[in-house]
Coordinates of all heavy atoms in Angstrom, one line a residue:
N39 N 94.3 102.1 113.6 CA 93.3 101.5 112.8 C 91.9 102.1 113.0 O 91.2 102.4 112.0 CB 93.2 100.0 113.1 CG 92.5 99.2 112.1 OD1 93.0 98.7 111.1 ND2 91.2 98.9 112.4
Y40 N 91.5 102.4 114.2 CA 90.3 103.0 114.6 C 90.3 104.5 114.0 O 89.2 104.9 113.5 CB 90.1 103.1 116.1 CG 89.6 101.8 116.7 CD1 90.2 101.3 117.8 CD2 88.5 101.1 116.1 CE1 89.7 100.1 118.4 CE2 88.0 99.9 116.7 CZ 88.6 99.4 117.8 OH 88.2 98.2 118.4
W41 N 91.4 105.2 114.1 CA 91.4 106.5 113.6 C 91.2 106.6 112.1 O 90.4 107.4 111.6 CB 92.8 107.1 113.9 CG 93.0 108.5 113.4 CD1 92.4 109.7 113.9 CD2 93.8 108.9 112.3 NE1 92.8 110.8 113.1 CE2 93.6 110.4 112.2 CE3 94.6 108.3 111.4 CZ2 94.3 111.1 111.2 CZ3 95.3 109.0 110.4 CH2 95.1 110.4 110.3
V42 N 91.8 105.7 111.4 CA 91.6 105.7 109.9 C 90.1 105.3 109.6 O 89.5 106.0 108.8 CB 92.5 104.7 109.2 CG1 92.2 104.5 107.8 CG2 94.0 105.2 109.4
D43 N 89.6 104.3 110.3 CA 88.2 103.9 110.1 C 87.2 104.9 110.4 O 86.1 105.1 109.7 CB 87.9 102.6 110.8 CG 88.6 101.4 110.2 OD1 89.2 101.5 109.1 OD2 88.6 100.3 110.8
I44 N 87.4 105.6 111.6 CA 86.4 106.5 112.1 C 86.5 107.9 111.6 O 85.5 108.6 111.4 CB 86.4 106.5 113.6 CG1 86.0 105.1 114.2 CG2 85.5 107.6 114.2 CD1 86.3 104.9 115.7
I45 N 87.7 108.4 111.3 CA 88.0 109.8 110.9 C 88.3 109.9 109.4 O 87.6 110.7 108.7 CB 89.1 110.4 111.7 CG1 88.8 110.3 113.2 CG2 89.4 111.8 111.3 CD1 87.6 111.1 113.7
I46 N 89.2 109.1 109.0 CA 89.7 109.3 107.6 C 88.7 108.7 106.6 O 88.4 109.3 105.5 CB 91.1 108.7 107.4 CG1 92.1 109.4 108.3 CG2 91.6 108.7 106.0 CD1 92.2 110.9 108.1
H47 N 88.2 107.5 106.8 CA 87.4 106.9 105.8 C 86.1 107.6 105.5 O 85.7 107.7 104.3 CB 87.2 105.4 106.1 CG 88.0 104.5 105.3 ND1 87.9 104.3 104.0 CD2 89.1 103.8 105.7 CE1 88.8 103.5 103.5 NE2 89.6 103.1 104.6
P48 N 85.4 108.1 106.5 CA 84.2 108.9 106.1 C 84.5 110.1 105.3 O 83.7 110.4 104.4 CB 83.6 109.3 107.5 CG 84.1 108.2 108.4 CD 85.5 107.9 107.9
L49 N 85.6 110.8 105.5 CA 86.0 111.9 104.7 C 86.4 111.4 103.3 O 86.0 112.1 102.3 CB 87.2 112.6 105.4 CG 86.8 113.3 106.7 CD1 88.1 113.8 107.3 CD2 85.8 114.4 106.5
L50 N 87.1 110.3 103.2 CA 87.5 109.8 101.9 C 86.2 109.3 101.1 O 86.1 109.6 99.9 CB 88.4 108.6 102.1 CG 88.9 107.9 100.8 CD1 89.6 108.8 99.9 CD2 89.8 106.7 101.2
A51 N 85.3 108.7 101.8 CA 84.1 108.2 101.1 C 83.3 109.4 100.5 O 82.8 109.4 99.4 CB 83.2 107.4 102.1
K52 N 83.2 110.5 101.3 CA 82.5 111.7 100.8 C 83.2 112.3 99.6 O 82.5 112.8 98.7 CB 82.4 112.7 102.0 CG 81.4 113.8 101.7 CD 81.1 114.6 102.9 CE 80.0 115.7 102.7 NZ 79.5 115.9 101.4
A53 N 84.5 112.2 99.6 CA 85.2 112.8 98.5 C 85.1 112.0 97.2 O 85.2 112.6 96.1 CB 86.7 113.0 98.9
I54 N 85.0 110.7 97.3 CA 85.2 109.9 96.1 C 84.0 108.9 95.8 O 84.1 108.2 94.8 CB 86.5 109.1 96.1 CG1 86.5 108.0 97.1 CG2 87.7 110.0 96.3 CD1 87.6 107.0 97.0
M55 N 83.0 108.8 96.6 CA 82.0 107.7 96.4 C 81.4 107.7 95.1 O 81.1 106.7 94.5 CB 81.0 107.8 97.5 CG 80.1 106.6 97.6 SD 81.0 105.0 97.9 CE 81.8 105.4 99.5
I56 N 81.1 108.9 94.5 CA 80.4 108.9 93.2 C 81.4 108.4 92.1 O 81.0 107.8 91.1 CB 79.9 110.3 92.9 CG1 79.0 110.3 91.6 CG2 81.0 111.3 92.7 CD1 77.8 109.5 91.8
D57 N 82.7 108.7 92.3 CA 83.7 108.2 91.4 C 83.8 106.6 91.5 O 84.0 106.0 90.5 CB 85.1 108.8 91.7 CG 85.1 110.3 91.5 OD1 85.1 110.7 90.4 OD2 85.1 111.0 92.5
V58 N 83.7 106.1 92.7 CA 83.7 104.7 92.9 C 82.6 104.0 92.1 O 82.8 103.0 91.4 CB 83.6 104.3 94.4 CG1 83.5 102.8 94.6 CG2 84.8 104.9 95.2
F59 N 81.4 104.6 92.2 CA 80.2 104.1 91.5 C 80.5 104.2 90.0 O 80.2 103.2 89.3 CB 79.0 105.0 91.9 CG 77.8 104.6 91.1 CD1 77.1 103.4 91.4 CD2 77.3 105.4 90.1 CE1 75.9 103.1 90.7 CE2 76.2 105.1 89.4 CZ 75.5 103.9 89.7
E60 N 81.0 105.2 89.5 CA 81.1 105.4 88.1 C 82.3 104.6 87.4 O 82.1 104.1 86.4 CB 81.3 106.9 87.7 CG 80.0 107.7 88.0 CD 80.2 109.2 87.6 OE1 81.2 109.5 87.1 OE2 79.2 109.9 87.8
Y61 N 83.4 104.6 88.2 CA 84.6 104.0 87.6 C 85.0 102.6 88.0 O 85.7 101.9 87.3 CB 85.8 105.0 87.8 CG 85.7 106.3 87.2 CD1 85.4 107.4 88.0 CD2 85.9 106.5 85.8 CE1 85.2 108.7 87.4 CE2 85.8 107.7 85.2 CZ 85.5 108.9 86.0 OH 85.3 110.1 85.5
A62 N 84.5 102.2 89.2 CA 85.1 101.0 89.8 C 84.0 99.9 89.9 O 84.4 98.7 89.9 CB 85.7 101.3 91.2
V63 N 82.8 100.2 90.2 CA 81.8 99.1 90.5 C 81.4 98.4 89.2 O 81.2 99.1 88.2 CB 80.6 99.7 91.2 CG1 79.5 98.7 91.4 CG2 81.0 100.3 92.5
A64 N 81.4 97.1 89.2 CA 81.0 96.3 88.0 C 79.6 96.7 87.6 O 78.7 97.0 88.5 CB 81.1 94.8 88.3
D65 N 79.3 96.6 86.3 CA 78.0 97.0 85.8 C 76.8 96.2 86.5 O 75.8 96.8 86.9 CB 77.9 96.8 84.3 CG 78.8 97.8 83.6 OD1 79.1 98.9 84.2 OD2 79.1 97.6 82.4
Q66 N 77.0 95.0 86.7 CA 76.0 94.1 87.3 C 75.8 94.4 88.8 O 74.8 94.0 89.4 CB 76.3 92.6 87.1 CG 77.6 92.1 87.7 CD 78.7 92.1 86.8 OE1 79.0 93.1 86.1 NE2 79.5 91.0 86.7
D67 N 76.7 95.2 89.4 CA 76.6 95.5 90.8 C 76.1 97.0 91.1 O 75.9 97.4 92.2 CB 77.9 95.3 91.5 CG 78.3 93.9 91.7 OD1 77.4 93.0 91.6 OD2 79.5 93.6 92.0

């Protein structure tokens, strides 16, 4: 659990965060 949170998730966030903003976040948020 720590490995995924500390190693994998920061890499995943860097790869897709702009997509999350554009495709997934509700307009009001």
Side-chain angles (χ1 to χ4, degrees):
N39 194 85
Y40 281 132
W41 178 73
V42 172
D43 287 351
I44 295 170
I45 303 299
I46 299 303
H47 259 290
L49 295 172
L50 178 58
K52 192 166 185 354
I54 71 170
M55 192 57 61
I56 192 64
D57 297 286
V58 175
F59 174 74
E60 291 183 1
Y61 296 104
V63 175
D65 291 340
Q66 60 266 49
D67 286 343

